[in-house]
Structures are given as C-alpha cells and as structure tokens.
C-alpha cells in the first residue's frame, strides 16, 4: 500500500534581520568620520603612480573631502541641492561624492557615455546647479546640453587639462567657510534624507531618477561587512573598482569598503584593466558576468594556442566537478571523492594558479552582479580558487537585495536576502522586495511610483522562486517572457546564458514573440574568433562568419547545448550571426554591459524577419 506524501508548500517569502543598526540622525559621512577618528593613518585608497600605487590615508582623504565641501558651501550649495558628476571610474569621482555629502547635498551620477540630450534631461529633471566632469571632452558634452536646454550651472573639471573650473579654484572658494559651518552642513542629513539621484539605465523609456537615501547606502555599508566577513574583515583586504561609479552597485559597494576600511584602487579603462589587476593585486572584486566570460575564454584560448587544449579541458572539468561536489556536500550529500581531490590538487599546483594570476594572484572572492552568471562559470572559478558570489538587485534597491555568502553559497541562485531586506514571490512569480535597501521613490514621478509599489513592496519586474532555505533564483524578466504563436511561454535568459558559454559567442538574444518557433541572434567574440580561425586553418572574421560553414557548425554546438536544457517546443530552430558585436557606442548595451533587448530587436528587425521567411 502506498501512502501519498503531502506536497511541500512553495516558499513565498524570505527575510534577513539587520545585523547593525544606525542612529536615525546619522548619515553616510559619519562612516568616514568614525573611521578617521579610530585610524587616521589607515590607507583607504591607492592612486596609480609611475607604474605603482600610492596610498591615500583616511586623514588625507578627509582633508581633501572637507576642502572641496567647503568650496561648494562657499559657492552657495545648500543642503538638499543637486550636484551632478560625469566621469569614468576614478579616485576623483569618489572624492567629489563624499564632498557633496559633506556639504549636505545630493549626488547625481551621469554615465560618461551619455549623449548631450540625455545629459540635458538629467540636469533639468534633477535640478543640478553644479556639474563635475572628468575632462575637457566631457565638459564639451555638458556645455552642449546646457546650451540646448538653456540651463544655468557651474562646471568643474576633476582633472586639469587646460580648462576652467579646477579643484584648486573650488577649494579657494571655500576659504571663508569654517569648520563649524561645514559640520552644520554635514550633519543636516539623516537616514531618511536623499543622498543620490540615480537615473535608470533607460533600457526602456526615458530614464527615471531614483531617490537613494543615506539610510539605503549606510545601512548596506555597515551590514555587508558583517554579512560577508570572510571577504571584508581581514588584514590587507583590498579591491580594484572598475565598474562605472555612475551605477549604484559600485557606489554601494564602495560605501561598504569605507565601512570595512578596505583599500580601494580605481581602473577606468578597459584597456588598462588586466594590467591594473596584476599590479594592484586585489583580494576581492566586484564584476559583471562578461568579465568572467572573457577571462575564461582567454585562458582557454592561451591553452589551446600552447597545444594544451585537452589539459585545460580536463582542468576545467575537474574544477566544475569539484565545486559541484562542494555544493552537494553543503546540502548533506557526498563531497569530492578521493580521486577528484587528487585531480584537483594536481591542477591547483599547475593550471589554476595561472587563472588566479590573471586577477593579480591574491584574489579569493568576487561578487558578480548586473546580469545572470552561468553556473558552469561559477563552478569553474570556485574550483580554480576564486569563489564567485552571485547577487541580485536593481537601482531601485540600491543595487544588492540578495547575495550568496561564503559559508552559504548556492551556485545557480542569487543568494539570500541582505540584512534588513525581505523577498516575496507574488502569485504570478514576480519578485517583490521590501526593506532597508528599497529606494524612496522616483523623483517627480507619482505615476511611476504608483505602478512600482504595492504598499511597502517594490515590484522588480523579474520573475523568480525561493527554495526551502530562502535562496532566490531569478528565472527571467516579466516583460522578456516570449509567447510563441502556439501559446508557449518561454524564458530566454537561461538559454542565452548557455549559448554564451561557447568560446566564439559574445552575445545571444533569443527571439520568437508571436512567431511559430524560437530563433536566436548571435554575435561573435572577435579575439576568440581570430584565434579559432588560426587553430582551424580558416579565415574567420565576424563580418563573413555568417556564411562560413565551419563557424556555423561550431555555433550549432552551442545552440544544441542550450536546446538540451528545454522542451522541444522551446528549442531554437534557427539562428543568424550578426556582422558586428553589441557595444555601448551602438546603443545595444548599458554601462554595466546589460543588453538593451528592445533596441537590439528593433535595430535588427530585418534579420529577425529573414529567420521566419519560408
């Protein structure tokens, strides 16, 4: 006789309590002031100098911040005023950010790739009275925006290159501002006060200004230190920041670094990143999936060029198997076998150090955000000695809302709710978020606020699920779900991730809305394609790859691997190779390298139509 088991209820909500509380009248600047009082000589930042790195102590940083803040106050900036910043990631960006907060004002980031019309909208909507730019080139963009919109602003250059409005001039403007007046401005804001107006990347529609409070930043900063102590609380901890500081994720993590006393370096150029990693030697890193994909592809390419392709494959398979066994052990299953441990030990002495050396040799942990990371890659890097902790969030949640922790990592998930955060799965599968990280609301946009909130719960627009232990897995975007002509609902994200694992693929977009079957648009990695062509004795360039049978045969393997993960009705039947990769400049990627799906499909509508012609 068989007894039917009761079906376990689906977990609908998960939460993590705050680990550290802050006084209601405090703000972000108190973190720096408190750290300076305890350890004024502690190195907080490092600047590139003659091929090396020169430390900036807490005392030196506070002195510089105070000087700029006094200058802003001397020029009439009042608490609550908006000050914009347009620059690539650099030390000066951070300096200005803290100075704006010390003056009691609100920082408004502008992506360095923004057009004059975008800059005009952000300055106008935020009401910014002062704009900091990196150099003369960005000053020209802002000047064009100001002229077009007939705006009245003061323009300041963070790096002197012959232009006006230098840091020295700003500091001179604050000569009459005494310490008491600065302290009054600094302490005006509390946890509920707006610290930054961060404009959405604009993947759809006009960017909206998200009001991020001092509490959003500060509570994240002090709590993440206790939530990830293995990564943030040890001697000589450091990180190299290279993601855009215009994105809220980079700035939130930087506040966490300030709370932990982490030494931070900055790298603002993709061309310099690999060299900066090797010279700076960070112990942890904040990155996006594309960085890990490129590093893996580069390691594979180097091995194959040296005639060690089979050895690399064996090492990669071992790393993945070892990490997968660690996951199984964490859930009460079997850990790595003796044979697997032996293989792993061998590669840990021979090939894995070469992977770690790409990051500088001291990296042990990394946080991956902005978009989904392939579980295969996450297992590979953990098996190779770099634990990648995937997290999840949006601009509206001050970026991170969940993250995996070192002792409680679950590859394939985006982790547990951060301290002070709550996650709920709605009846239609949408992820709802409430708590300490959720922003105050959209600036001057009551209609958007009404659509985004149900009481205290923010509607993320993403779909997902919670497991029995509270780990969140993101399954897709509500708006990205494809419905074929046959009525089949398809989440493109997981298939796209699988295709991108292939060495030759840079980007993949699955299409099929209202169509009889599913197809895909692929772009190729130029470097990998060139190396592959040399190894296979063919001339392979992206512009002609669509007509190259051997290239298409290799890409078909990637599509077949993705098709193996879904039902027959969801499988990709056709694909086309686009002549060039997506980029920031083409308007197909955001600053954090997320795909602007609607822009791609609109711009390549002719290619999509060809896929469905009989």
């Amino acid at each position: 006789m068989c007894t039917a088991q009761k079906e376990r209820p689906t977990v609908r909500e998960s939460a993590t309590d705050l680990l550290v509380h802050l006084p209601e009248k405090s703000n972000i600047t108190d973190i720096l002031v408190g750290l300076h009082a305890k350890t004024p000589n502690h190195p907080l930042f490092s600047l590139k100098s003659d091929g090396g790195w020169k430390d900036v102590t807490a005392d030196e940083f506070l002195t510089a911040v105070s000087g700029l803040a006094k200058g802003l106050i001397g020029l009439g900036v009042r608490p609550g005023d908006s000050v914009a910043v347009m620059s690539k990631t650099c030390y000066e960006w951070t300096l200005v950010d803290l100075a704006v907060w010390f003056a009691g004002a609100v920082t408004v980031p502008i992506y360095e790739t923004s057009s004059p019309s975008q800059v005009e909208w952000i300055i106008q909507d935020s009401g910014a009275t002062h704009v900091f730019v990196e150099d003369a080139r960005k000053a020209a963009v802002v000047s064009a925006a100001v002229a077009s919109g007939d705006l009245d602003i003061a323009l300041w250059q963070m790096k002197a290159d012959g232009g006006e409005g230098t840091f020295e001039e700003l500091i001179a403007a604050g000569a009459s501002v005494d310490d008491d007046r600065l302290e009054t401005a600094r302490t005006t804001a509390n946890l509920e006060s707006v610290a930054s107006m961060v404009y959405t990347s604009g993947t759809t529609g006009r960017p909206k200004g998200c009001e991020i409070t001092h509490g959003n930043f500060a509570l994240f900063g002090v709590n993440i230190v206790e939530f990830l102590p293995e990564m943030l609380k040890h001697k000589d901890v450091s990180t190299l920041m290279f993601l855009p500081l215009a994105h809220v994720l980079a700035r939130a993590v930087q506040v966490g670094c300030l709370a932990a006393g982490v030494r931070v370096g900055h790298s603002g150029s993709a061309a310099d990143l690999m060299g900066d990693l090797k010279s700076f030697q960070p112990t942890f890193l904040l990155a996006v999936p594309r960085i890990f994909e490129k590093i893996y592809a580069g390691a594979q390419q180097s091995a194959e060029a040296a005639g060690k392709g089979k050895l690399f494959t064996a090492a990669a398979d071992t790393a993945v198997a070892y990490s997968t066994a660690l996951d199984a052990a964490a859930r009460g299953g079997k850990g790595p076998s003796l044979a697997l441990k032996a293989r792993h030990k061998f590669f840990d002495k021979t090939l894995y150090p070469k992977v770690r050396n790409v990051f500088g040799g001291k990296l042990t942990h990394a946080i991956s955000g902005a978009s989904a990371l392939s579980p295969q890659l996450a297992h590979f890097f953990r098996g190779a000695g770099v634990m990648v902790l995937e997290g999840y969030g949006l601009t509206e949640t001050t970026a991170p809302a969940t993250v995996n922790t070192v002792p409680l990592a679950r590859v394939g998930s985006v982790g547990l709710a951060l301290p002070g955060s709550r996650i709920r799965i709605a009846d239609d599968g949408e992820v709802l978020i409430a708590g300490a990280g959720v922003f105050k609301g959209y600036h001057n946009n009551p209609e958007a606020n009404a659509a985004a909130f149900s009481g205290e719960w923010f509607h993320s627009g993403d779909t997902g699920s919670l497991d029995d232990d509270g780990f969140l897995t993101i399954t897709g975007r509500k708006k990205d779900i494809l419905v074929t002509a046959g009525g089949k609902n398809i989440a493109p994200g997981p298939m796209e991730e699988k295709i991108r694992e292939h060495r030759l693929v840079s980007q993949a977009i699955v299409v099929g809305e209202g169509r009889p079957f599913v197809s895909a648009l692929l772009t190729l990695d130029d470097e990998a394609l060139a190396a592959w062509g040399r190894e296979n004795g063919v001339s392979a360039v992206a512009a002609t790859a669509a007509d190259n049978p051997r290239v298409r045969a290799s890409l078909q393997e990637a599509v077949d691997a993705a098709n193996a993960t879904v039902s027959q009705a969801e499988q990709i039947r056709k694909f086309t190779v686009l002549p060039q990769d997506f980029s920031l400049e083409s308007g197909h990627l955001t600053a954090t390298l997320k795909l602007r799906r609607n822009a791609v499909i609109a711009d390549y509508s002719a290619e999509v139509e060809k896929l469905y012609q009989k």
Side-chain angles (χ1 to χ4, degrees):
M1 183 176 175
C2 178
T3 304
Q5 292 184 337
K6 289 185 178 180
E7 185 176 340
R8 299 182 68 177
T10 303
V11 176
R12 307 296 298 180
E13 192 170 321
S14 179
T16 302
D17 293 335
L18 279 174
L19 302 176
V20 181
H21 294 264
L22 292 173
E24 290 183 6
K25 293 185 178 181
S26 66
N27 63 51
I28 301 166
T29 67
D30 291 313
I31 296 175
L32 174 57
V33 171
L35 187 145
H36 174 266
K38 293 179 182 178
T39 55
N41 296 319
H42 181 77
L44 282 184
F45 298 95
S46 288
L47 305 178
K48 273 200 291 188
S49 175
D50 299 325
W53 296 84
K54 180 182 177 182
D55 288 344
V56 177
T57 66
D59 187 61
E60 291 168 332
F61 183 65
L62 180 58
T63 298
V65 165
S66 298
L68 292 178
K70 286 181 177 181
L72 288 170
I73 294 169
L75 289 169
V77 172
R78 298 166 298 178
D81 285 354
S82 294
V83 178
V85 184
M86 184 180 182
S87 170
K88 68 182 181 184
T89 294
C90 60
Y91 167 76
E92 290 81 5
W93 210 123
T94 302
L95 190 60
V96 168
D97 207 10
L98 267 294
V100 171
W101 289 334
F102 264 65
V106 177
T107 308
V108 181
I110 302 176
Y111 283 107
E112 61 161 327
T113 55
S114 298
S115 67
S117 63
Q118 291 171 321
V119 174
E120 179 187 344
W121 162 250
I122 292 173
I123 293 175
Q124 186 179 59
D125 188 63
S126 67
T129 55
H130 292 254
V131 180
F132 286 85
V133 294
E134 178 188 355
D135 51 28
R137 187 173 66 82
K138 292 179 181 63
V141 174
V142 173
S143 295
V146 168
S148 175
D150 193 23
L151 304 171
D152 184 17
I153 63 147
L155 190 60
W156 303 94
Q157 284 190 208
M158 300 193 297
K159 295 184 179 180
D161 57 2
E164 298 180 356
T166 64
F167 272 5
E168 289 74 17
E169 292 174 306
L170 180 57
I171 292 170
S176 63
V177 178
D178 60 24
D179 290 343
D180 288 341
R181 189 175 169 192
L182 173 62
E183 184 67 4
T184 297
R186 183 188 76 79
T187 56
T188 299
N190 57 39
L191 295 183
E192 293 297 318
S193 303
V194 176
S196 190
M197 204 103 69
V198 182
Y199 282 76
T200 57
S201 57
T203 52
T204 58
R206 182 173 251 179
K208 300 187 287 287
C210 300
E211 296 183 342
I212 311 295
T213 67
H214 279 267
N216 292 149
F217 278 125
L219 285 170
F220 168 80
V222 297
N223 278 275
I224 197 66
V225 179
E226 303 303 322
F227 202 55
L228 297 174
E230 299 87 353
M231 187 169 72
L232 297 171
K233 292 179 72 173
H234 61 83
K235 187 179 179 181
D236 298 328
V237 59
S238 64
T239 190
L240 185 68
M241 186 65 66
F242 61 90
L243 292 187
L245 283 171
H247 191 280
V248 71
L249 173 61
R251 290 169 69 220
V253 169
Q254 199 157 247
V255 172
C257 291
L258 195 63
V262 171
R263 182 172 61 90
V264 178
H266 296 90
S267 181
S269 168
D272 295 338
L273 178 58
M274 292 298 107
D276 289 344
L277 284 170
K278 290 180 179 179
S279 62
F280 187 82
Q281 298 183 312
T283 61
F284 81 91
L285 205 61
L286 174 66
V288 295
R290 189 63 186 139
I291 297 298
F292 299 108
E293 292 168 0
K294 293 285 284 185
I295 289 175
Y296 178 88
Q300 183 185 41
Q301 179 180 319
S302 296
E304 291 180 350
K308 297 181 179 179
K310 290 183 179 180
L311 188 64
F312 178 85
T313 299
D317 290 345
T318 298
V320 171
Y322 187 81
S323 176
T324 303
L326 292 179
D327 254 13
R331 302 189 195 196
K334 288 185 178 181
S337 66
L338 290 176
L340 179 55
K341 287 181 179 179
R343 291 199 305 275
H344 183 266
K345 185 176 181 179
F346 169 75
F347 288 121
D348 199 40
K349 292 181 178 179
T350 55
L351 287 184
Y352 300 154
K354 294 180 180 179
V355 174
R356 297 194 289 268
N357 285 340
V358 174
F359 297 103
K362 294 184 179 180
L363 195 77
T364 56
H365 298 90
I367 296 176
S368 178
S371 58
L373 176 70
S374 159
Q376 190 86 354
L377 277 180
H379 280 305
F380 167 78
F381 280 106
R382 180 164 71 166
V386 176
M387 189 173 193
V388 182
L389 304 171
E390 194 171 3
Y392 162 78
L394 307 95
T395 300
E396 291 87 346
T397 62
T398 321
T402 68
V403 72
N404 279 281
T405 67
V406 176
L408 298 174
R410 192 157 293 179
V411 174
S413 82
V414 292
L416 302 165
L418 264 71
S421 297
R422 285 174 289 151
I423 307 295
R424 174 183 290 179
I425 306 300
D427 291 341
D428 63 355
E430 185 177 11
V431 177
L432 310 182
I433 307 166
V438 176
F439 74 140
K440 197 167 188 173
Y442 296 112
H443 181 63
N444 290 336
N445 201 331
E447 295 83 4
N449 288 326
F453 285 93
S454 293
E456 64 180 325
W457 293 96
F458 172 72
H459 289 253
S460 69
D462 293 310
T463 58
S465 62
L466 288 164
D467 69 12
D468 292 340
D469 298 314
F471 285 83
L472 176 66
T473 296
I474 299 298
T475 55
R477 288 284 297 170
K478 284 181 69 174
K479 293 181 179 179
D480 287 346
I481 296 296
L482 305 177
V483 183
T484 65
K488 182 66 177 178
N489 286 14
I490 295 169
M495 283 195 288
E496 292 167 350
E497 292 168 33
K498 191 66 180 175
I499 293 172
R500 286 200 306 269
E501 289 179 7
H502 191 277
R503 174 185 174 186
L504 297 183
V505 178
S506 177
Q507 298 288 354
I509 286 198
V510 172
V511 297
E513 177 68 27
R515 305 286 189 170
F517 56 85
V518 179
S519 298
L521 306 177
L522 308 183
T523 70
L524 304 181
D525 185 303
D526 287 336
E527 293 180 10
L529 182 62
W532 181 89
R534 289 192 296 270
E535 294 161 14
N536 289 273
V538 297
S539 176
V541 294
T544 59
D547 300 320
N548 189 309
R550 295 182 66 180
V551 172
R552 290 191 64 86
S554 185
L555 294 175
Q556 185 64 54
E557 295 175 3
V559 172
D560 291 343
N563 284 343
T565 67
V566 296
S567 68
Q568 187 173 356
E570 299 170 273
Q571 290 179 358
I572 298 166
R573 295 194 198 175
K574 289 185 178 182
F575 68 87
T576 191
V577 182
L578 302 180
Q580 60 188 19
D581 201 0
F582 306 138
S583 66
L584 286 169
E585 293 73 22
S586 70
H588 298 133
L589 296 180
T590 70
T592 52
L593 306 184
K594 288 187 290 187
L595 278 171
R596 297 182 186 271
R597 184 180 297 272
N598 292 344
V600 171
I601 293 175
D603 290 348
Y604 290 99
S605 59
E607 285 76 5
V608 173
E609 288 300 328
K610 288 179 183 177
L611 288 167
Y612 294 97
Q613 290 177 355
K614 293 182 179 179

